[in-house]
PDB file of all heavy atoms in Angstrom:
ATOM      1  N   HIS J 706      50.980  20.742  69.316  1.00  0.00           N
ATOM      2  CA  HIS J 706      49.670  21.242  69.734  1.00  0.00           C
ATOM      3  C   HIS J 706      49.578  21.330  71.255  1.00  0.00           C
ATOM      4  O   HIS J 706      49.091  22.321  71.809  1.00  0.00           O
ATOM      5  CB  HIS J 706      48.566  20.332  69.188  1.00  0.00           C
ATOM      6  CG  HIS J 706      47.200  20.745  69.617  1.00  0.00           C
ATOM      7  ND1 HIS J 706      46.575  20.199  70.725  1.00  0.00           N
ATOM      8  CD2 HIS J 706      46.349  21.673  69.110  1.00  0.00           C
ATOM      9  CE1 HIS J 706      45.395  20.769  70.873  1.00  0.00           C
ATOM     10  NE2 HIS J 706      45.226  21.661  69.915  1.00  0.00           N
ATOM     11  N   GLU J 707      50.053  20.306  71.954  1.00  0.00           N
ATOM     12  CA  GLU J 707      49.968  20.277  73.417  1.00  0.00           C
ATOM     13  C   GLU J 707      50.889  21.320  74.047  1.00  0.00           C
ATOM     14  O   GLU J 707      50.533  21.936  75.053  1.00  0.00           O
ATOM     15  CB  GLU J 707      50.266  18.877  73.946  1.00  0.00           C
ATOM     16  CG  GLU J 707      49.264  17.823  73.498  1.00  0.00           C
ATOM     17  CD  GLU J 707      47.834  18.144  73.901  1.00  0.00           C
ATOM     18  OE1 GLU J 707      47.576  18.320  75.104  1.00  0.00           O
ATOM     19  OE2 GLU J 707      46.965  18.221  73.003  1.00  0.00           O
ATOM     20  N   ILE J 708      52.064  21.525  73.467  1.00  0.00           N
ATOM     21  CA  ILE J 708      52.981  22.551  73.971  1.00  0.00           C
ATOM     22  C   ILE J 708      52.363  23.936  73.764  1.00  0.00           C
ATOM     23  O   ILE J 708      52.429  24.791  74.652  1.00  0.00           O
ATOM     24  CB  ILE J 708      54.379  22.429  73.321  1.00  0.00           C
ATOM     25  CG1 ILE J 708      55.063  21.142  73.800  1.00  0.00           C
ATOM     26  CG2 ILE J 708      55.234  23.657  73.625  1.00  0.00           C
ATOM     27  CD1 ILE J 708      56.328  20.775  73.037  1.00  0.00           C
ATOM     28  N   GLN J 709      51.742  24.148  72.610  1.00  0.00           N
ATOM     29  CA  GLN J 709      51.068  25.425  72.353  1.00  0.00           C
ATOM     30  C   GLN J 709      49.949  25.648  73.365  1.00  0.00           C
ATOM     31  O   GLN J 709      49.785  26.740  73.911  1.00  0.00           O
ATOM     32  CB  GLN J 709      50.512  25.458  70.922  1.00  0.00           C
ATOM     33  CG  GLN J 709      49.848  26.763  70.565  1.00  0.00           C
ATOM     34  CD  GLN J 709      50.834  27.922  70.542  1.00  0.00           C
ATOM     35  OE1 GLN J 709      51.965  27.796  70.074  1.00  0.00           O
ATOM     36  NE2 GLN J 709      50.429  29.053  71.069  1.00  0.00           N
ATOM     37  N   LYS J 710      49.191  24.600  73.661  1.00  0.00           N
ATOM     38  CA  LYS J 710      48.101  24.690  74.635  1.00  0.00           C
ATOM     39  C   LYS J 710      48.657  25.041  76.014  1.00  0.00           C
ATOM     40  O   LYS J 710      48.109  25.895  76.712  1.00  0.00           O
ATOM     41  CB  LYS J 710      47.356  23.343  74.674  1.00  0.00           C
ATOM     42  CG  LYS J 710      46.124  23.340  75.526  1.00  0.00           C
ATOM     43  CD  LYS J 710      45.219  22.133  75.285  1.00  0.00           C
ATOM     44  CE  LYS J 710      45.862  20.808  75.507  1.00  0.00           C
ATOM     45  NZ  LYS J 710      44.912  19.686  75.462  1.00  0.00           N
ATOM     46  N   LEU J 711      49.765  24.421  76.398  1.00  0.00           N
ATOM     47  CA  LEU J 711      50.400  24.705  77.685  1.00  0.00           C
ATOM     48  C   LEU J 711      50.935  26.134  77.721  1.00  0.00           C
ATOM     49  O   LEU J 711      50.786  26.834  78.731  1.00  0.00           O
ATOM     50  CB  LEU J 711      51.509  23.686  77.955  1.00  0.00           C
ATOM     51  CG  LEU J 711      52.271  23.785  79.259  1.00  0.00           C
ATOM     52  CD1 LEU J 711      51.345  23.814  80.465  1.00  0.00           C
ATOM     53  CD2 LEU J 711      53.243  22.623  79.377  1.00  0.00           C
ATOM     54  N   ALA J 712      51.518  26.582  76.621  1.00  0.00           N
ATOM     55  CA  ALA J 712      52.024  27.962  76.557  1.00  0.00           C
ATOM     56  C   ALA J 712      50.877  28.959  76.740  1.00  0.00           C
ATOM     57  O   ALA J 712      50.992  29.915  77.523  1.00  0.00           O
ATOM     58  CB  ALA J 712      52.732  28.203  75.221  1.00  0.00           C
ATOM     59  N   GLU J 713      49.787  28.734  76.057  1.00  0.00           N
ATOM     60  CA  GLU J 713      48.630  29.626  76.187  1.00  0.00           C
ATOM     61  C   GLU J 713      48.085  29.613  77.612  1.00  0.00           C
ATOM     62  O   GLU J 713      47.711  30.654  78.145  1.00  0.00           O
ATOM     63  CB  GLU J 713      47.543  29.225  75.183  1.00  0.00           C
ATOM     64  CG  GLU J 713      47.925  29.555  73.758  1.00  0.00           C
ATOM     65  CD  GLU J 713      46.966  28.985  72.721  1.00  0.00           C
ATOM     66  OE1 GLU J 713      45.904  28.429  73.095  1.00  0.00           O
ATOM     67  OE2 GLU J 713      47.288  29.093  71.522  1.00  0.00           O
ATOM     68  N   PHE J 714      48.070  28.448  78.232  1.00  0.00           N
ATOM     69  CA  PHE J 714      47.596  28.337  79.614  1.00  0.00           C
ATOM     70  C   PHE J 714      48.453  29.192  80.550  1.00  0.00           C
ATOM     71  O   PHE J 714      47.953  29.788  81.497  1.00  0.00           O
ATOM     72  CB  PHE J 714      47.604  26.878  80.064  1.00  0.00           C
ATOM     73  CG  PHE J 714      47.134  26.667  81.469  1.00  0.00           C
ATOM     74  CD1 PHE J 714      45.774  26.655  81.770  1.00  0.00           C
ATOM     75  CD2 PHE J 714      48.044  26.473  82.501  1.00  0.00           C
ATOM     76  CE1 PHE J 714      45.330  26.467  83.067  1.00  0.00           C
ATOM     77  CE2 PHE J 714      47.612  26.283  83.807  1.00  0.00           C
ATOM     78  CZ  PHE J 714      46.251  26.276  84.092  1.00  0.00           C
ATOM     79  N   THR J 715      49.757  29.238  80.283  1.00  0.00           N
ATOM     80  CA  THR J 715      50.667  30.013  81.136  1.00  0.00           C
ATOM     81  C   THR J 715      50.761  31.479  80.713  1.00  0.00           C
ATOM     82  O   THR J 715      51.542  32.238  81.285  1.00  0.00           O
ATOM     83  CB  THR J 715      52.085  29.389  81.151  1.00  0.00           C
ATOM     84  OG1 THR J 715      52.645  29.450  79.832  1.00  0.00           O
ATOM     85  CG2 THR J 715      52.058  27.966  81.667  1.00  0.00           C
ATOM     86  N   GLY J 716      49.987  31.862  79.699  1.00  0.00           N
ATOM     87  CA  GLY J 716      49.974  33.259  79.283  1.00  0.00           C
ATOM     88  C   GLY J 716      51.051  33.628  78.288  1.00  0.00           C
ATOM     89  O   GLY J 716      51.317  34.810  78.057  1.00  0.00           O
ATOM     90  N   LYS J 717      51.690  32.636  77.675  1.00  0.00           N
ATOM     91  CA  LYS J 717      52.755  32.905  76.707  1.00  0.00           C
ATOM     92  C   LYS J 717      52.243  32.681  75.290  1.00  0.00           C
ATOM     93  O   LYS J 717      51.496  31.744  75.033  1.00  0.00           O
ATOM     94  CB  LYS J 717      53.935  31.948  76.935  1.00  0.00           C
ATOM     95  CG  LYS J 717      54.769  32.276  78.136  1.00  0.00           C
ATOM     96  CD  LYS J 717      55.697  33.415  77.804  1.00  0.00           C
ATOM     97  CE  LYS J 717      56.877  33.413  78.733  1.00  0.00           C
ATOM     98  NZ  LYS J 717      57.889  34.348  78.332  1.00  0.00           N
ATOM     99  N   LYS J 718      52.666  33.541  74.403  1.00  0.00           N
ATOM    100  CA  LYS J 718      52.376  33.366  72.981  1.00  0.00           C
ATOM    101  C   LYS J 718      53.703  33.050  72.312  1.00  0.00           C
ATOM    102  O   LYS J 718      54.635  33.849  72.373  1.00  0.00           O
ATOM    103  CB  LYS J 718      51.767  34.639  72.399  1.00  0.00           C
ATOM    104  CG  LYS J 718      51.467  34.522  70.937  1.00  0.00           C
ATOM    105  CD  LYS J 718      50.181  35.236  70.581  1.00  0.00           C
ATOM    106  CE  LYS J 718      49.879  35.187  69.101  1.00  0.00           C
ATOM    107  NZ  LYS J 718      49.681  33.886  68.551  1.00  0.00           N
ATOM    108  N   LEU J 719      53.790  31.869  71.726  1.00  0.00           N
ATOM    109  CA  LEU J 719      55.029  31.433  71.092  1.00  0.00           C
ATOM    110  C   LEU J 719      54.901  31.527  69.579  1.00  0.00           C
ATOM    111  O   LEU J 719      53.899  31.090  69.013  1.00  0.00           O
ATOM    112  CB  LEU J 719      55.339  29.983  71.461  1.00  0.00           C
ATOM    113  CG  LEU J 719      55.478  29.647  72.939  1.00  0.00           C
ATOM    114  CD1 LEU J 719      55.693  28.153  73.125  1.00  0.00           C
ATOM    115  CD2 LEU J 719      56.624  30.431  73.567  1.00  0.00           C
ATOM    116  N   ASP J 720      55.944  32.089  68.930  1.00  0.00           N
ATOM    117  CA  ASP J 720      55.916  32.040  67.475  1.00  0.00           C
ATOM    118  C   ASP J 720      56.303  30.622  67.044  1.00  0.00           C
ATOM    119  O   ASP J 720      56.794  29.821  67.842  1.00  0.00           O
ATOM    120  CB  ASP J 720      56.813  33.114  66.850  1.00  0.00           C
ATOM    121  CG  ASP J 720      58.293  32.932  67.140  1.00  0.00           C
ATOM    122  OD1 ASP J 720      58.798  31.791  67.078  1.00  0.00           O
ATOM    123  OD2 ASP J 720      58.963  33.943  67.419  1.00  0.00           O
ATOM    124  N   ASP J 721      56.055  30.308  65.788  1.00  0.00           N
ATOM    125  CA  ASP J 721      56.235  28.947  65.302  1.00  0.00           C
ATOM    126  C   ASP J 721      57.685  28.469  65.427  1.00  0.00           C
ATOM    127  O   ASP J 721      57.936  27.303  65.724  1.00  0.00           O
ATOM    128  CB  ASP J 721      55.752  28.831  63.859  1.00  0.00           C
ATOM    129  CG  ASP J 721      55.360  27.408  63.525  1.00  0.00           C
ATOM    130  OD1 ASP J 721      54.549  26.827  64.289  1.00  0.00           O
ATOM    131  OD2 ASP J 721      55.864  26.870  62.520  1.00  0.00           O
ATOM    132  N   LYS J 722      58.644  29.367  65.243  1.00  0.00           N
ATOM    133  CA  LYS J 722      60.065  28.995  65.334  1.00  0.00           C
ATOM    134  C   LYS J 722      60.408  28.548  66.764  1.00  0.00           C
ATOM    135  O   LYS J 722      61.072  27.536  66.963  1.00  0.00           O
ATOM    136  CB  LYS J 722      60.933  30.182  64.912  1.00  0.00           C
ATOM    137  CG  LYS J 722      62.405  29.883  64.877  1.00  0.00           C
ATOM    138  CD  LYS J 722      63.193  31.092  64.387  1.00  0.00           C
ATOM    139  CE  LYS J 722      64.675  30.794  64.423  1.00  0.00           C
ATOM    140  NZ  LYS J 722      65.478  31.952  64.022  1.00  0.00           N
ATOM    141  N   VAL J 723      59.952  29.301  67.761  1.00  0.00           N
ATOM    142  CA  VAL J 723      60.204  28.942  69.169  1.00  0.00           C
ATOM    143  C   VAL J 723      59.474  27.651  69.515  1.00  0.00           C
ATOM    144  O   VAL J 723      60.021  26.769  70.179  1.00  0.00           O
ATOM    145  CB  VAL J 723      59.792  30.096  70.119  1.00  0.00           C
ATOM    146  CG1 VAL J 723      59.839  29.650  71.568  1.00  0.00           C
ATOM    147  CG2 VAL J 723      60.680  31.306  69.899  1.00  0.00           C
ATOM    148  N   LEU J 724      58.248  27.513  69.050  1.00  0.00           N
ATOM    149  CA  LEU J 724      57.471  26.306  69.305  1.00  0.00           C
ATOM    150  C   LEU J 724      58.177  25.071  68.740  1.00  0.00           C
ATOM    151  O   LEU J 724      58.317  24.054  69.436  1.00  0.00           O
ATOM    152  CB  LEU J 724      56.070  26.458  68.705  1.00  0.00           C
ATOM    153  CG  LEU J 724      55.077  25.349  68.963  1.00  0.00           C
ATOM    154  CD1 LEU J 724      54.894  25.091  70.454  1.00  0.00           C
ATOM    155  CD2 LEU J 724      53.743  25.688  68.325  1.00  0.00           C
ATOM    156  N   GLU J 725      58.665  25.159  67.518  1.00  0.00           N
ATOM    157  CA  GLU J 725      59.392  24.031  66.907  1.00  0.00           C
ATOM    158  C   GLU J 725      60.674  23.714  67.688  1.00  0.00           C
ATOM    159  O   GLU J 725      61.036  22.553  67.842  1.00  0.00           O
ATOM    160  CB  GLU J 725      59.725  24.333  65.443  1.00  0.00           C
ATOM    161  CG  GLU J 725      58.535  24.306  64.519  1.00  0.00           C
ATOM    162  CD  GLU J 725      57.903  22.920  64.372  1.00  0.00           C
ATOM    163  OE1 GLU J 725      58.558  21.895  64.654  1.00  0.00           O
ATOM    164  OE2 GLU J 725      56.716  22.879  63.998  1.00  0.00           O
ATOM    165  N   LYS J 726      61.343  24.741  68.170  1.00  0.00           N
ATOM    166  CA  LYS J 726      62.559  24.554  68.961  1.00  0.00           C
ATOM    167  C   LYS J 726      62.245  23.792  70.253  1.00  0.00           C
ATOM    168  O   LYS J 726      62.970  22.873  70.633  1.00  0.00           O
ATOM    169  CB  LYS J 726      63.164  25.926  69.281  1.00  0.00           C
ATOM    170  CG  LYS J 726      64.507  25.910  69.915  1.00  0.00           C
ATOM    171  CD  LYS J 726      64.946  27.375  70.114  1.00  0.00           C
ATOM    172  CE  LYS J 726      66.398  27.494  70.415  1.00  0.00           C
ATOM    173  NZ  LYS J 726      66.801  28.889  70.615  1.00  0.00           N
ATOM    174  N   ILE J 727      61.148  24.157  70.905  1.00  0.00           N
ATOM    175  CA  ILE J 727      60.749  23.473  72.142  1.00  0.00           C
ATOM    176  C   ILE J 727      60.355  22.037  71.843  1.00  0.00           C
ATOM    177  O   ILE J 727      60.739  21.115  72.586  1.00  0.00           O
ATOM    178  CB  ILE J 727      59.621  24.246  72.854  1.00  0.00           C
ATOM    179  CG1 ILE J 727      60.142  25.592  73.356  1.00  0.00           C
ATOM    180  CG2 ILE J 727      59.055  23.421  74.024  1.00  0.00           C
ATOM    181  CD1 ILE J 727      59.064  26.524  73.902  1.00  0.00           C
ATOM    182  N   VAL J 728      59.623  21.813  70.761  1.00  0.00           N
ATOM    183  CA  VAL J 728      59.250  20.446  70.371  1.00  0.00           C
ATOM    184  C   VAL J 728      60.515  19.606  70.192  1.00  0.00           C
ATOM    185  O   VAL J 728      60.609  18.485  70.711  1.00  0.00           O
ATOM    186  CB  VAL J 728      58.390  20.436  69.088  1.00  0.00           C
ATOM    187  CG1 VAL J 728      58.242  19.016  68.543  1.00  0.00           C
ATOM    188  CG2 VAL J 728      57.025  21.055  69.348  1.00  0.00           C
ATOM    189  N   HIS J 729      61.495  20.149  69.483  1.00  0.00           N
ATOM    190  CA  HIS J 729      62.737  19.408  69.239  1.00  0.00           C
ATOM    191  C   HIS J 729      63.493  19.111  70.544  1.00  0.00           C
ATOM    192  O   HIS J 729      63.878  17.977  70.800  1.00  0.00           O
ATOM    193  CB  HIS J 729      63.641  20.175  68.277  1.00  0.00           C
ATOM    194  CG  HIS J 729      64.998  19.569  68.147  1.00  0.00           C
ATOM    195  ND1 HIS J 729      65.228  18.403  67.445  1.00  0.00           N
ATOM    196  CD2 HIS J 729      66.196  19.935  68.671  1.00  0.00           C
ATOM    197  CE1 HIS J 729      66.515  18.082  67.532  1.00  0.00           C
ATOM    198  NE2 HIS J 729      67.123  19.002  68.268  1.00  0.00           N
ATOM    199  N   HIS J 730      63.691  20.133  71.352  1.00  0.00           N
ATOM    200  CA  HIS J 730      64.516  19.975  72.556  1.00  0.00           C
ATOM    201  C   HIS J 730      63.823  19.196  73.673  1.00  0.00           C
ATOM    202  O   HIS J 730      64.480  18.814  74.644  1.00  0.00           O
ATOM    203  CB  HIS J 730      65.015  21.332  73.055  1.00  0.00           C
ATOM    204  CG  HIS J 730      66.113  21.863  72.202  1.00  0.00           C
ATOM    205  ND1 HIS J 730      67.412  21.404  72.264  1.00  0.00           N
ATOM    206  CD2 HIS J 730      66.098  22.789  71.209  1.00  0.00           C
ATOM    207  CE1 HIS J 730      68.140  22.020  71.376  1.00  0.00           C
ATOM    208  NE2 HIS J 730      67.372  22.870  70.715  1.00  0.00           N
ATOM    209  N   THR J 731      62.527  18.966  73.535  1.00  0.00           N
ATOM    210  CA  THR J 731      61.831  18.147  74.534  1.00  0.00           C
ATOM    211  C   THR J 731      61.423  16.796  73.958  1.00  0.00           C
ATOM    212  O   THR J 731      60.655  16.069  74.578  1.00  0.00           O
ATOM    213  CB  THR J 731      60.596  18.876  75.109  1.00  0.00           C
ATOM    214  OG1 THR J 731      59.688  19.192  74.056  1.00  0.00           O
ATOM    215  CG2 THR J 731      61.019  20.122  75.872  1.00  0.00           C
ATOM    216  N   SER J 732      61.985  16.447  72.809  1.00  0.00           N
ATOM    217  CA  SER J 732      61.759  15.108  72.272  1.00  0.00           C
ATOM    218  C   SER J 732      62.512  14.111  73.160  1.00  0.00           C
ATOM    219  O   SER J 732      63.501  14.461  73.816  1.00  0.00           O
ATOM    220  CB  SER J 732      62.246  15.011  70.826  1.00  0.00           C
ATOM    221  OG  SER J 732      63.663  15.092  70.781  1.00  0.00           O
ATOM    222  N   PHE J 733      62.047  12.896  73.182  1.00  0.00           N
ATOM    223  CA  PHE J 733      62.650  11.884  74.049  1.00  0.00           C
ATOM    224  C   PHE J 733      64.140  11.704  73.756  1.00  0.00           C
ATOM    225  O   PHE J 733      64.962  11.679  74.671  1.00  0.00           O
ATOM    226  CB  PHE J 733      61.915  10.545  73.917  1.00  0.00           C
ATOM    227  CG  PHE J 733      62.471   9.492  74.824  1.00  0.00           C
ATOM    228  CD1 PHE J 733      62.097   9.455  76.159  1.00  0.00           C
ATOM    229  CD2 PHE J 733      63.388   8.562  74.368  1.00  0.00           C
ATOM    230  CE1 PHE J 733      62.623   8.504  77.021  1.00  0.00           C
ATOM    231  CE2 PHE J 733      63.918   7.608  75.220  1.00  0.00           C
ATOM    232  CZ  PHE J 733      63.531   7.581  76.542  1.00  0.00           C
ATOM    233  N   ASP J 734      64.497  11.592  72.484  1.00  0.00           N
ATOM    234  CA  ASP J 734      65.901  11.346  72.136  1.00  0.00           C
ATOM    235  C   ASP J 734      66.816  12.472  72.587  1.00  0.00           C
ATOM    236  O   ASP J 734      67.923  12.229  73.068  1.00  0.00           O
ATOM    237  CB  ASP J 734      66.046  11.119  70.628  1.00  0.00           C
ATOM    238  CG  ASP J 734      65.444   9.790  70.191  1.00  0.00           C
ATOM    239  OD1 ASP J 734      65.331   8.869  71.033  1.00  0.00           O
ATOM    240  OD2 ASP J 734      65.078   9.674  69.005  1.00  0.00           O
ATOM    241  N   VAL J 735      66.371  13.710  72.461  1.00  0.00           N
ATOM    242  CA  VAL J 735      67.193  14.856  72.883  1.00  0.00           C
ATOM    243  C   VAL J 735      67.271  14.905  74.412  1.00  0.00           C
ATOM    244  O   VAL J 735      68.349  15.078  74.981  1.00  0.00           O
ATOM    245  CB  VAL J 735      66.658  16.182  72.292  1.00  0.00           C
ATOM    246  CG1 VAL J 735      67.380  17.373  72.889  1.00  0.00           C
ATOM    247  CG2 VAL J 735      66.793  16.168  70.771  1.00  0.00           C
ATOM    248  N   MET J 736      66.132  14.743  75.081  1.00  0.00           N
ATOM    249  CA  MET J 736      66.140  14.796  76.553  1.00  0.00           C
ATOM    250  C   MET J 736      66.943  13.649  77.151  1.00  0.00           C
ATOM    251  O   MET J 736      67.597  13.824  78.177  1.00  0.00           O
ATOM    252  CB  MET J 736      64.713  14.794  77.097  1.00  0.00           C
ATOM    253  CG  MET J 736      64.023  16.139  76.925  1.00  0.00           C
ATOM    254  SD  MET J 736      62.401  16.212  77.675  1.00  0.00           S
ATOM    255  CE  MET J 736      62.768  15.924  79.400  1.00  0.00           C
ATOM    256  N   LYS J 737      66.910  12.489  76.527  1.00  0.00           N
ATOM    257  CA  LYS J 737      67.657  11.331  77.053  1.00  0.00           C
ATOM    258  C   LYS J 737      69.161  11.615  77.067  1.00  0.00           C
ATOM    259  O   LYS J 737      69.876  11.115  77.930  1.00  0.00           O
ATOM    260  CB  LYS J 737      67.350  10.092  76.214  1.00  0.00           C
ATOM    261  CG  LYS J 737      67.949   8.833  76.772  1.00  0.00           C
ATOM    262  CD  LYS J 737      67.479   7.607  76.025  1.00  0.00           C
ATOM    263  CE  LYS J 737      68.041   6.381  76.706  1.00  0.00           C
ATOM    264  NZ  LYS J 737      67.436   5.162  76.227  1.00  0.00           N
ATOM    265  N   ARG J 738      69.636  12.452  76.158  1.00  0.00           N
ATOM    266  CA  ARG J 738      71.061  12.811  76.097  1.00  0.00           C
ATOM    267  C   ARG J 738      71.387  14.078  76.889  1.00  0.00           C
ATOM    268  O   ARG J 738      72.552  14.456  77.002  1.00  0.00           O
ATOM    269  CB  ARG J 738      71.490  12.992  74.643  1.00  0.00           C
ATOM    270  CG  ARG J 738      71.444  11.721  73.824  1.00  0.00           C
ATOM    271  CD  ARG J 738      72.025  11.916  72.427  1.00  0.00           C
ATOM    272  NE  ARG J 738      71.561  13.102  71.734  1.00  0.00           N
ATOM    273  CZ  ARG J 738      70.520  13.155  70.895  1.00  0.00           C
ATOM    274  NH1 ARG J 738      69.828  12.078  70.650  1.00  0.00           N
ATOM    275  NH2 ARG J 738      70.194  14.284  70.297  1.00  0.00           N
ATOM    276  N   ASN J 739      70.385  14.744  77.417  1.00  0.00           N
ATOM    277  CA  ASN J 739      70.569  16.033  78.096  1.00  0.00           C
ATOM    278  C   ASN J 739      70.809  15.810  79.595  1.00  0.00           C
ATOM    279  O   ASN J 739      69.895  15.461  80.324  1.00  0.00           O
ATOM    280  CB  ASN J 739      69.324  16.899  77.885  1.00  0.00           C
ATOM    281  CG  ASN J 739      69.403  18.235  78.570  1.00  0.00           C
ATOM    282  OD1 ASN J 739      70.342  18.533  79.319  1.00  0.00           O
ATOM    283  ND2 ASN J 739      68.400  19.061  78.350  1.00  0.00           N
ATOM    284  N   PRO J 740      72.030  16.037  80.087  1.00  0.00           N
ATOM    285  CA  PRO J 740      72.314  15.805  81.510  1.00  0.00           C
ATOM    286  C   PRO J 740      71.514  16.716  82.448  1.00  0.00           C
ATOM    287  O   PRO J 740      71.351  16.398  83.622  1.00  0.00           O
ATOM    288  CB  PRO J 740      73.815  16.061  81.638  1.00  0.00           C
ATOM    289  CG  PRO J 740      74.212  16.794  80.414  1.00  0.00           C
ATOM    290  CD  PRO J 740      73.202  16.498  79.353  1.00  0.00           C
ATOM    291  N   MET J 741      70.985  17.819  81.937  1.00  0.00           N
ATOM    292  CA  MET J 741      70.170  18.693  82.784  1.00  0.00           C
ATOM    293  C   MET J 741      68.734  18.177  82.900  1.00  0.00           C
ATOM    294  O   MET J 741      67.958  18.669  83.718  1.00  0.00           O
ATOM    295  CB  MET J 741      70.157  20.123  82.238  1.00  0.00           C
ATOM    296  CG  MET J 741      71.518  20.799  82.271  1.00  0.00           C
ATOM    297  SD  MET J 741      72.141  21.026  83.947  1.00  0.00           S
ATOM    298  CE  MET J 741      73.502  19.881  83.972  1.00  0.00           C
ATOM    299  N   ALA J 742      68.383  17.168  82.101  1.00  0.00           N
ATOM    300  CA  ALA J 742      67.030  16.606  82.139  1.00  0.00           C
ATOM    301  C   ALA J 742      67.009  15.116  82.440  1.00  0.00           C
ATOM    302  O   ALA J 742      65.975  14.593  82.849  1.00  0.00           O
ATOM    303  CB  ALA J 742      66.315  16.856  80.810  1.00  0.00           C
ATOM    304  N   ASN J 743      68.113  14.412  82.272  1.00  0.00           N
ATOM    305  CA  ASN J 743      68.080  12.948  82.384  1.00  0.00           C
ATOM    306  C   ASN J 743      68.555  12.395  83.736  1.00  0.00           C
ATOM    307  O   ASN J 743      68.732  11.194  83.873  1.00  0.00           O
ATOM    308  CB  ASN J 743      68.875  12.305  81.242  1.00  0.00           C
ATOM    309  CG  ASN J 743      70.366  12.548  81.342  1.00  0.00           C
ATOM    310  OD1 ASN J 743      70.901  12.955  82.368  1.00  0.00           O
ATOM    311  ND2 ASN J 743      71.063  12.294  80.241  1.00  0.00           N
ATOM    312  N   TYR J 744      68.757  13.251  84.699  1.00  0.00           N
ATOM    313  CA  TYR J 744      69.137  12.884  86.069  1.00  0.00           C
ATOM    314  C   TYR J 744      70.518  12.240  86.170  1.00  0.00           C
ATOM    315  O   TYR J 744      70.869  11.674  87.208  1.00  0.00           O
ATOM    316  CB  TYR J 744      68.078  11.970  86.717  1.00  0.00           C
ATOM    317  CG  TYR J 744      66.855  12.732  87.149  1.00  0.00           C
ATOM    318  CD1 TYR J 744      65.898  13.124  86.220  1.00  0.00           C
ATOM    319  CD2 TYR J 744      66.660  13.089  88.466  1.00  0.00           C
ATOM    320  CE1 TYR J 744      64.786  13.849  86.605  1.00  0.00           C
ATOM    321  CE2 TYR J 744      65.540  13.805  88.861  1.00  0.00           C
ATOM    322  CZ  TYR J 744      64.613  14.185  87.922  1.00  0.00           C
ATOM    323  OH  TYR J 744      63.513  14.906  88.306  1.00  0.00           O
ATOM    324  N   SER J 745      71.334  12.353  85.138  1.00  0.00           N
ATOM    325  CA  SER J 745      72.678  11.771  85.207  1.00  0.00           C
ATOM    326  C   SER J 745      73.620  12.583  86.089  1.00  0.00           C
ATOM    327  O   SER J 745      74.716  12.126  86.404  1.00  0.00           O
ATOM    328  CB  SER J 745      73.264  11.606  83.804  1.00  0.00           C
ATOM    329  OG  SER J 745      73.405  12.870  83.180  1.00  0.00           O
ATOM    330  N   THR J 746      73.193  13.764  86.546  1.00  0.00           N
ATOM    331  CA  THR J 746      74.021  14.565  87.453  1.00  0.00           C
ATOM    332  C   THR J 746      73.867  14.122  88.910  1.00  0.00           C
ATOM    333  O   THR J 746      74.620  14.565  89.765  1.00  0.00           O
ATOM    334  CB  THR J 746      73.663  16.067  87.346  1.00  0.00           C
ATOM    335  OG1 THR J 746      72.303  16.244  87.732  1.00  0.00           O
ATOM    336  CG2 THR J 746      73.898  16.589  85.936  1.00  0.00           C
TER     337      THR J 746
END
């Protein structure tokens, strides 16, 4: 819901598949393993 609200604020309309993908890839467990997001670089 919050990601959808942020998308609408920025003028983007996301279909449900893209929204679910963003929810998954910005979950804590996924981001913690992501070197582009976890500052391990």
Side-chain angles (χ1 to χ4, degrees):
H706 178 265
E707 297 302 303
I708 292 169
Q709 182 65 40
K710 186 166 58 171
L711 181 53
E713 289 171 7
F714 180 80
T715 64
K717 285 281 202 171
K718 179 143 178 62
L719 302 176
D720 65 42
D721 205 52
K722 184 177 177 183
V723 171
L724 185 56
E725 288 294 340
K726 188 178 195 181
I727 293 172
V728 169
H729 172 74
H730 285 283
T731 59
S732 69
F733 182 81
D734 290 336
V735 172
M736 285 185 61
K737 186 173 184 169
R738 294 186 313 267
N739 179 354
M741 295 296 111
N743 69 15
Y744 284 78
S745 63
T746 62

